[in-house]
Amino acid sequence: MAGGGAAASALSSPWRMLLQRALDANAHLKHSTFFQLATVGEGGRPANRTVVFRGFQEHCDKIQIHTDARSNKVGELKEWPLGEICWYFTDSWEQFRISGIVDVIDGSSSDPAKLQQREKTWFASSMKTRSQYLGEPWPGVPVAEDNLDPSTGPVDAYCLLTLDPEKVDYVNLKSNQKLMFRRTQEGDHSSDWIAENASL
Amino acid sequence: MAGGGAAASALSSPWRMLLQRALDANAHLKHSTFFQLATVGEGGRPANRTVVFRGFQEHCDKIQIHTDARSNKVGELKEWPLGEICWYFTDSWEQFRISGIVDVIDGSSSDPAKLQQREKTWFASSMKTRSQYLGEPWPGVPVAEDNLDPSTGPVDAYCLLTLDPEKVDYVNLKSNQKLMFRRTQEGDHSSDWIAENASL
């Protein structure tokens, strides 16, 4: 019951219910868990790529993403740890823009709790997903799953990113509903968020 | 025949053929012309939103986007005119990341050729699309099309954005093919582009 209570608490952030409804309504589409993550790279250049939603961290609103430690975005985020997700649901015509600070958690992290979280998400991944981090010379190229022991912990190339939402901008293109949520203080309770006038 | 020749010339940029093939393969999906445009906003914050592909400008590779002059991205792009498109094709599992300089063309432009281009894209748009620029108080809220005379030129809120590609990063998640193209000089001929090693 403690777990259920914690889940309910995390879900109390006002935009989480909207997002869960969109995930449910679009669950029949494989790409419904794909979104685009914008970051700022060298020389202040915007960068943008498709990544996969790996769920929320327990008891909070942090959005989890897996990536290869060798990818450009890891270096970019270490320099400038801000990101904005654009998540468009193609069946329900809903868009969520979620911005916040991104934490890069690779094997070099000095925080035991973060290393534990990285290990947890590694073991929660399929063997197929894990095998993508063994690819050489480029990240993302899967190798035979047979080369990987299921009990082996995260390999060096495996990196967990968590985006901690500070602002969520919602638009429903079917109903023309717009909502904007801004976090006013640390925390994930509904009282930590306020709704503001939205603009495109 | 002159038009056909010009089109063939523009299509000679090596990535254009790949993109055209993806557009054709995904044409049955309404959202296949939607992509995410990343920019950099106030305080160096990344921003990201879904926009609609409005075709290429004639005789070149510039990607056309319509937007509301009152939207945040217009102000952001006037300050920092760089953008990266992330265009994921959900049926063929292909991703194009296209980065370049974005030109903001609103009614205040002093370049007659650009104003003409803006007028051209306005008249090429449906009445429904045009009516979205009459919405008050927020952009994007359509109003009755009856309020708009089909012969009336672009309204103040109508803004044309053109992104001039400098780098195109292509990945096919079905075949694991990766290609990266970089423009080496001004122009849209195949000789103006080189292919480089790609990374995720």
Side-chain angles (χ1 to χ4, degrees), chain B residues 75-88:
Chain B
E76 289 169 7
L77 284 165
K78 283 185 173 178
E79 287 290 316
W80 193 248
L82 296 176
E84 182 157 282
I85 288 167
C86 182
W87 199 344
Y88 182 68

Side-chain angles (χ1 to χ4, degrees), chain A residues 30-31 34 36 40 43-48 50 71 80 82 84 86 88 90 93 95 97 138-140 142 166 198 200, chain B residues 30-31 34 36 38 43-48 50 71 80 82 84 86 88 90 93 95 97 138-140 166 176 198 200:
Chain A
K30 178 187 158 67
H31 63 262
F34 297 3
Q36 281 69 37
V40 181
R45 296 191 82 92
N48 206 4
T50 306
S71 67
W80 193 248
L82 297 176
E84 182 157 282
C86 182
Y88 183 69
T90 57
W93 298 15
Q95 174 180 270
R97 298 171 60 186
W138 291 315
E166 292 176 341
L200 276 191
Chain B
K30 178 188 160 64
H31 62 262
F34 296 4
Q36 280 70 37
R45 298 192 82 91
N48 206 4
T50 307
S71 68
W80 193 248
L82 296 176
E84 182 157 282
C86 182
Y88 182 68
T90 58
W93 299 14
Q95 173 180 272
R97 299 172 61 186
W138 290 316
E166 291 177 342
N176 277 313
L200 276 191

Side-chain angles (χ1 to χ4, degrees), chain A residues 77-170:
Chain A
L77 284 165
K78 283 185 172 177
E79 289 288 318
W80 193 248
L82 297 176
E84 182 157 282
I85 288 167
C86 182
W87 200 343
Y88 183 69
F89 290 91
T90 57
D91 211 35
S92 60
W93 298 15
E94 291 168 286
Q95 174 180 270
F96 293 80
R97 298 171 60 186
I98 306 174
S99 63
I101 293 173
V102 182
D103 201 4
V104 177
I105 309 173
D106 58 19
S108 72
S109 174
S110 56
D111 182 334
K114 288 182 181 176
L115 286 174
Q116 198 176 10
Q117 189 64 24
R118 172 172 174 263
E119 196 171 86
K120 192 167 183 173
T121 54
W122 169 264
F123 284 116
S125 306
S126 70
M127 293 303 285
K128 191 177 167 192
T129 296
R130 293 185 218 174
S131 72
Q132 287 177 356
Y133 296 94
L134 303 176
E136 297 286 353
W138 291 315
V141 178
V143 298
E145 294 169 34
D146 309 345
N147 293 345
L148 188 63
D149 181 336
S151 65
T152 301
V155 297
D156 284 351
Y158 176 72
C159 183
L160 172 65
L161 303 177
T162 61
L163 184 143
D164 195 11
E166 292 176 341
K167 201 181 81 173
V168 179
D169 191 301
Y170 169 79

Side-chain angles (χ1 to χ4, degrees), chain A residues 13-32:
Chain A
S13 294
W15 53 274
R16 282 284 292 270
M17 229 177 299
L18 282 171
L19 182 60
Q20 192 55 54
R21 196 182 62 185
L23 279 164
D24 293 344
N26 295 270
H28 58 292
L29 299 168
K30 178 187 158 67
H31 63 262
S32 64

